[in-house]
Amino acid sequence: MLKKLTDKIYYLPFNEETDRPILGYVKGEKYSLMVDAGNSKKHVELFMEEIKKENLKYPDFVVITHSHWDHTYGMKYVDAPSIVCRRTNEYLENMSKWQWSDEAMEERLKSGEDIEFCDTMIRREYPDRKEINVTTADIVFEENLNINLGGIVAQAMKLDSSHADDCVVVFIPEEKTIFIGDIISEDFHHGEPVYYKHKLLSLTEKFKELEFETALFGHMEPFEKSELINWLNEVEIEIVD
Ligand SMILES: [Zn+2]
């Protein structure tokens, strides 16, 4: 069920069953913005049904927090221009060439291009993997993009993260809210999960600077700012240089 955070911010909660992240909705006077495109056509359809129930209009744009499958494989099924940073688009371009046979998937696990967890979740979300259709975006920015939605601005910013090198947050100053994707997570894709010291520090400093009250992380309940900072100060995963 869609949750209302403020008069202008809504989100569909995460679902661990197939690793679906939260999907955000920002309601401007002129345009509405979806944050992240979900992991499949079904995920997108669920989101669109839920916003319809709330009498919210179909989003005019969808902005993506990073390239990981659970945030992007629904892009094809959102009938609105998609917005990503250049690095994300490069990853999407690469993934759009992936094959989905058992052999191809096993090969990617061996080469380290993909990890066991995503492999398992993709199989679970897609009983028929022919439905997977990875696409690149319509609008690409480098580091920062402000989207004026009418009476409210969404600021997309690429920030340092251990999780991936294409992480973008979507900050809504007027609502004191920030969508952070998986930016506070560790790197799961290069051996044992780790954080990188300088990236973790840089991210923590940035979050201290930004004036928000609520942070919407992809796979957990919303954080208050102080909780988020504490969480980053006390990560329990190994930190490397
Ligand atoms: Zn991720």
Side-chain angles (χ1 to χ4, degrees):
M1 211 182 79
L2 201 69
K3 290 198 174 176
K4 183 174 180 176
L5 187 73
T6 73
D7 280 346
K8 295 174 179 174
I9 311 246
Y10 299 76
Y11 67 98
L12 185 68
F14 66 97
N15 183 340
E16 283 175 329
E17 233 167 275
T18 54
D19 203 33
R20 289 179 174 179
I22 70 151
L23 299 180
Y25 186 92
V26 186
K27 183 178 144 193
E29 285 160 16
K30 194 169 178 189
Y31 300 116
S32 290
L33 177 71
M34 181 177 179
V35 182
D36 275 334
N39 69 359
S40 65
K41 185 180 180 197
K42 282 188 208 118
H43 195 192
V44 172
E45 283 171 353
L46 175 66
F47 179 78
M48 297 309 174
E49 276 166 29
E50 292 291 321
I51 63 168
K52 214 171 174 182
K53 280 186 206 159
E54 296 292 323
N55 289 318
L56 297 166
K57 70 165 178 158
Y58 198 94
D60 295 288
F61 302 98
V62 57
V63 61
I64 301 296
T65 61
H66 64 304
S67 75
H68 289 164
W69 82 279
D70 46 324
H71 301 255
T72 59
Y73 285 16
M75 277 169 72
K76 182 88 185 169
Y77 306 101
V78 178
D79 190 15
S82 51
I83 304 171
V84 305
C85 74
R86 186 174 50 80
R87 191 75 183 111
T88 298
N89 216 39
E90 288 168 1
Y91 284 123
L92 291 171
E93 167 98 57
N94 183 42
M95 280 191 287
S96 70
K97 295 172 191 142
W98 285 7
Q99 302 294 313
W100 294 99
S101 63
D102 286 334
E103 298 73 31
M105 288 177 80
E106 274 159 31
E107 210 42 59
R108 285 198 292 275
L109 290 182
K110 272 186 219 149
S111 69
E113 272 183 289
D114 208 353
I115 57 170
E116 199 76 49
F117 180 72
C118 296
D119 188 276
T120 304
M121 290 297 168
I122 288 170
R123 288 171 190 275
R124 208 180 277 174
E125 176 70 28
Y126 290 93
D128 179 5
R129 296 196 300 275
K130 285 192 195 74
E131 285 175 14
I132 300 177
N133 199 335
V134 183
T135 180
T136 51
D138 301 301
I139 300 168
V140 178
F141 67 95
E142 288 293 325
E143 300 285 327
N144 295 285
L145 181 73
N146 284 4
I147 309 161
N148 188 345
L149 303 172
I152 186 171
V153 174
Q155 303 181 0
M157 293 179 248
K158 187 163 172 271
L159 300 181
D160 282 337
S161 167
S162 301
H163 186 61
D165 65 0
D166 66 328
C167 284
V168 165
V169 296
V170 183
F171 177 41
I172 323 289
E174 286 90 347
E175 300 297 292
K176 297 200 181 305
T177 300
I178 189 166
F179 290 91
I180 61 173
D182 297 352
I183 200 163
I184 59 171
S185 295
E186 55 272 44
D187 178 1
F188 291 108
H189 288 257
H190 301 92
E192 284 299 304
V194 288
Y195 281 98
Y196 304 107
K197 196 176 178 182
H198 66 285
K199 289 184 176 177
L200 187 58
L201 284 175
S202 155
L203 183 64
T204 308
E205 286 311 306
K206 191 70 198 179
F207 278 147
K208 282 182 189 166
E209 259 171 49
L210 294 171
E211 290 187 15
F212 64 90
E213 284 169 3
T214 308
L216 293 159
F217 172 57
H219 302 274
M220 283 169 80
E221 295 297 326
F223 281 93
E224 280 176 25
K225 180 168 179 170
S226 58
E227 289 174 329
L228 183 74
I229 306 290
N230 288 343
W231 198 86
L232 288 168
N233 283 333
E234 293 165 12
V235 295
E236 285 167 0
I237 305 293
E238 192 186 356
I239 302 172
V240 298
D241 275 332

